[in-house]
């Protein structure tokens, strides 16, 4: 019988920000939340928005009518 034990070590770090930025970040939080939780939610929201903007970008797009014309040639 073999037992495998996995140990995960989480390394924390400190970042220096102004009290003004700290207070702005705090506005996004709920009572009892850590800054890590708040920042993770903000990051996820930003990534989601970035993907939305990429998918909805109309640059280099053509209408269906134009696409059908090109296919018919």
């Amino acid at each position: 019988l073999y037992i495998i034990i996995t140990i995960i070590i989480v390394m924390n770090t400190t970042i220096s920000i102004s009290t003004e930025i700290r207070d702005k970040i705090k506005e996004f939080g709920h009572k009892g939340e850590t800054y890590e939780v708040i920042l993770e939610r903000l990051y996820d929201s930003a990534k989601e928005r970035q993907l939305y903007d990429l998918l909805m970008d109309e640059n280099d797009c053509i209408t269906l009518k134009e696409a059908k014309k090109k296919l018919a040639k």
Side-chain angles (χ1 to χ4, degrees):
L1 176 70
Y2 292 96
I3 299 174
I4 299 174
I5 299 174
T6 303
I7 299 174
I8 299 173
I9 299 173
V10 177
M11 302 292 288
N12 289 323
T13 187
T14 302
I15 57 172
S16 180
I17 58 173
S18 68
T19 53
E20 180 185 355
I21 295 298
R22 182 204 62 199
D23 293 343
K24 287 180 178 182
I25 293 170
K26 197 185 292 189
E27 290 176 12
F28 287 95
H30 305 288
K31 186 174 177 111
E33 279 187 320
T34 64
Y35 285 107
E36 183 172 1
V37 169
I38 298 168
L39 290 171
E40 187 171 13
R41 186 173 51 252
L42 290 171
Y43 172 82
D44 291 343
S45 178
K47 290 299 285 185
E48 190 174 304
R49 177 58 193 249
Q50 189 177 45
L51 178 59
Y52 175 84
D53 289 346
L54 176 69
L55 293 174
M56 301 309 287
D57 184 4
E58 293 184 10
N59 293 328
D60 299 324
C61 291
I62 60 174
T63 65
L64 286 175
K65 188 175 183 179
E66 292 170 321
K68 288 178 183 178
K69 273 186 185 178
K70 285 186 176 191
L71 286 175
K73 290 183 181 180

